Amino acid sequence: QVQLVESGGGSVQAGGSLRLSCAASGSTYSSYCMGWFRQAPGKEREGVAVRYTGGGSAYYTDSVKGRFTISQDNAKNTLYLQMNTLKPEDTAMYYCAARAGRCLGALTLRASFPYWGQGTQVTVSS
């Protein structure tokens, strides 16, 4: 079992920045695919960024490439999402998620993630 708790959401103006945090506890943190998904009102939940906690490349959805960075602090069992140059279309509830194993194809396979946090709201105004 893995427990995930997000924090760091808020309201910002377009062009601003936020950093989301996801504190993980429970099972072995070092061998999971962990990532961030988001869901805007009336839309499906979509993958934003994922990375394997054991190291290796991160994967991003096209709309956030060059603006968002996913990272981790293994000592703190915490995953981060640094979001820069935010746009109104980034407004959504952001969720942290985890699944065992690597991240191949993970961005489009949200159903493969059994562990989810409660979400943190990000609102970007124009």
Side-chain angles (χ1 to χ4, degrees), residues 36-114:
W36 294 93
F37 291 73
R38 66 186 180 185
Q39 188 167 18
K43 294 188 176 181
E44 290 191 354
R45 193 170 299 188
E46 64 169 349
V48 176
V50 295
R51 69 176 290 156
Y52 180 58
T53 57
S57 300
Y59 302 93
Y60 298 90
T61 193
D62 286 346
S63 63
V64 308
K65 286 179 181 177
R67 300 188 298 122
F68 290 12
T69 303
I70 188 171
S71 63
Q72 64 191 67
D73 184 334
N74 287 347
K76 296 182 179 179
N77 283 0
T78 301
L79 186 75
Y80 301 100
L81 185 69
Q82 178 66 43
M83 305 185 294
N84 298 329
T85 319
L86 282 161
K87 303 176 181 179
E89 50 264 44
D90 295 318
T91 295
M93 184 72 79
Y94 283 70
Y95 297 90
C96 179
R99 73 178 194 191
R102 295 187 179 269
C103 291
L104 186 63
L107 275 178
T108 58
L109 294 173
R110 69 179 186 274
S112 68
F113 285 79

Side-chain angles (χ1 to χ4, degrees), residues 11-61:
S11 297
V12 296
Q13 290 192 325
S17 298
L18 283 172
R19 189 178 79 157
L20 307 183
S21 299
C22 173
S25 61
S27 188
T28 306
Y29 175 79
S30 62
S31 59
Y32 278 81
C33 174
M34 294 189 67
W36 294 93
F37 291 73
R38 66 186 180 185
Q39 188 167 18
K43 294 188 176 181
E44 290 191 354
R45 193 170 299 188
E46 64 169 349
V48 176
V50 295
R51 69 176 290 156
Y52 180 58
T53 57
S57 300
Y59 302 93
Y60 298 90
T61 193

